[in-house]
Amino acid sequence: MRKNSDNFSMQDAMRLAQSEAGQQLFAMLRAQNGDAVDQAMAQAASGDYSQIKQTLAGLLSSPQVQTMLEQLGRQSNE
């Protein structure tokens, strides 16, 4: 997934959000840091994309999330 991040479209994001794996990832992120998830969602809604990158970088840096992202990347390449 990291390799394709530049080509990740809004449609890709919607498919991920609606998938079982995407829902698990969202649940994990919310459990680890619900306030940051809420902040990221508010930033996205307001169009503050420069700030959301920083917020998401912090959310996505945990080893558990990285493992899940790797699994998602493998699944999407199958």
Side-chain angles (χ1 to χ4, degrees), residues 10-23:
M10 186 55 85
Q11 289 175 330
D12 293 331
M14 294 302 293
R15 266 194 305 276
L16 175 61
Q18 294 171 352
S19 72
E20 183 178 337
Q23 303 248 339

Side-chain angles (χ1 to χ4, degrees), residues 17-62:
Q18 294 171 352
S19 72
E20 183 178 337
Q23 303 248 339
Q24 289 173 349
L25 176 61
F26 185 73
M28 180 188 296
L29 291 171
R30 180 155 304 280
Q32 288 181 353
N33 196 340
D35 291 339
V37 170
D38 291 341
Q39 181 181 9
M41 291 173 68
Q43 290 165 340
S46 71
D48 189 356
Y49 297 111
S50 61
Q51 194 62 35
I52 195 172
K53 285 181 182 182
Q54 291 178 345
T55 302
L56 287 176
L59 285 170
L60 300 177
S61 65
S62 84

Side-chain angles (χ1 to χ4, degrees), residues 1-4 69-78:
M1 216 170 191
R2 255 184 261 189
K3 289 183 239 172
N4 297 329
L69 288 172
E70 291 293 327
Q71 291 170 351
L72 286 170
R74 280 189 296 242
Q75 288 174 4
S76 69
N77 290 329
E78 292 176 352

